Amino acid sequence: MAHILLVDDEQNVLSALQRELGREHDVEAFTSPRKALQRAREAEFDLVVTDYRMPEMDGVSFLEIFAQSQPDAMRLILSGQADMDALIKAINISHPYRFLSKPWSKFDLETEIKQSLNYRETMLENRRLARAYQERYGPIPPAQARKIYRILLAADEVNDAALIKRELTSSASMEEGHGAGFYGMHGCFPHGGADFQSEVDCLTTQQQVLEQLENGVYDLVIVDSLMLDKGGPGFLDELRKRSPGSAHILISGTLDMDILANAINRIQVDDFVRRPWKTCELKAVVLRALRYRDLHLENCRLADLFRQHQNLTGQPG
C-alpha cells in the first residue's frame, strides 16, 4: 500500500480521486498546497498528484518545493487546461513523471499510478543494490557503454510510421523547445540528455515484425493496436517470445479493452500512446520506457556481480 498525497483546490476532484485510489492506497488530500507542503515536512509520501491551476500556488511551484524535501516521491500533474507552454514549464522546472488529463478514465488513472509506483520501486532497488555493492566490494565496474537505442516500430499505417520515426531519430526534434529538464524527469533520461540517439526500423506486417525480432535484439518495440487486432493472441504470444528483454509501447486511438487486456497479459505493455499524440508526449513515453528498462537491466547486472563475488569467495551476499 502506497502513501499518496493529493492536492487540488476543487473538493469534488479530490473526493473522486480519493474514492478511486483509497481502496488500495493510504491517501491524504488537501485543497491548500501550503497545507500539503506542511504535511510533506511531517510524513513521507511515495507519490503526489497535484492540480496544475490552483489560486494559492500553481502545481509547478508546488512540486518544485515539494521535491526539495521528498525527491524520491513520484510526481504527477493533473490538469484539464495545461497548454504547451505550461507543459514545457512544468517539465523544465518541477520534472513531473507523468501528466494526467481532466477528465480521466478509471483505467488511465490506475495505470498511471501503478506504473509510477513500479518505477519508484525499481529506482530505489537500484540505489540499494549499488550502495550495498560499493560498501562490500568497492567501486562498481562500469556497464558497457551504449550510445544508440534500437527501436522496432510495428505499424501498418505508413504515414504514422514515418512520422514516429522522424520524431524519434531527429536530434533537432528531440531537443527543440524542451530544454535539459525534459530529459531529466526524475533522472529518467537513459544517457543524460542531448546525446540520445536511436535507430528505428519500421515494419508494416506481422510476418515482417516476427522475422525481424528473430534476427535482432531491440531495446523497445512500439506496436500499433490495429496490428494486434488483426494478429490476435497468437501474434502477441510470438511477440513476447521473440522480444523478452524489450520494453513495449502500445499506440491506439480508442483503446479496445479486450485488445488492451491481451496486450497487458501477454507482452507486459510498459506504456500507451493515444492518437492523436503531441510530439512531446510521444518522446516522454519513449524515454520513460527506455529508462525503466535500463534500470531493470542494471539491477540484474548488479545482482549478477554480487553472485560472481559470492562464487569467488564462498560468502553469502
Side-chain angles (χ1 to χ4, degrees), residues 13-84:
V13 173
L14 283 181
S15 298
L17 288 170
Q18 283 180 293
R19 280 196 304 272
E20 295 187 20
L21 299 178
R23 290 188 291 270
E24 296 185 10
H25 304 289
D26 178 15
V27 176
E28 296 190 43
F30 294 85
T31 55
S32 165
R34 299 191 188 282
K35 290 183 179 179
L37 288 172
Q38 176 60 42
R39 178 57 179 156
R41 288 189 283 269
E42 302 168 352
E44 182 178 346
F45 290 91
D46 302 303
L47 181 145
V48 58
V49 181
T50 180
D51 189 23
Y52 174 70
R53 297 185 185 277
M54 297 179 288
E56 187 176 283
M57 178 188 301
D58 67 43
V60 175
S61 300
F62 169 80
L63 287 182
E64 186 179 13
I65 299 172
F66 175 86
Q68 294 173 10
S69 60
Q70 303 214 26
D72 293 333
M74 304 308 292
R75 303 185 285 277
L76 285 74
I77 287 184
L78 179 68
S79 180
Q81 307 178 55
D83 55 16
M84 186 58 65

Side-chain angles (χ1 to χ4, degrees), residues 45-155:
F45 290 91
D46 302 303
L47 181 145
V48 58
V49 181
T50 180
D51 189 23
Y52 174 70
R53 297 185 185 277
M54 297 179 288
E56 187 176 283
M57 178 188 301
D58 67 43
V60 175
S61 300
F62 169 80
L63 287 182
E64 186 179 13
I65 299 172
F66 175 86
Q68 294 173 10
S69 60
Q70 303 214 26
D72 293 333
M74 304 308 292
R75 303 185 285 277
L76 285 74
I77 287 184
L78 179 68
S79 180
Q81 307 178 55
D83 55 16
M84 186 58 65
D85 290 339
L87 180 65
I88 293 171
K89 176 185 176 185
I91 288 170
N92 288 336
I93 295 177
S94 60
H95 311 321
Y97 182 69
R98 295 282 174 109
F99 289 87
L100 291 170
S101 298
K102 290 181 181 178
W104 63 85
S105 70
K106 183 175 183 292
F107 172 81
D108 283 342
L109 177 64
E110 291 178 350
T111 300
E112 299 287 15
I113 296 296
K114 181 179 179 180
Q115 291 179 344
S116 298
L117 291 172
N118 285 345
Y119 179 88
R120 181 178 187 272
E121 182 178 344
T122 303
M123 178 179 65
L124 294 179
E125 176 66 5
N126 179 265
R127 188 181 302 166
R128 185 192 69 79
L129 286 170
R131 185 182 298 116
Y133 185 95
Q134 290 169 331
E135 290 175 353
R136 180 167 297 188
Y137 303 118
I140 299 172
Q144 183 177 358
R146 177 183 51 187
K147 291 295 184 180
I148 299 177
Y149 283 94
R150 297 195 68 205
I151 299 174
L152 177 62
L153 173 60

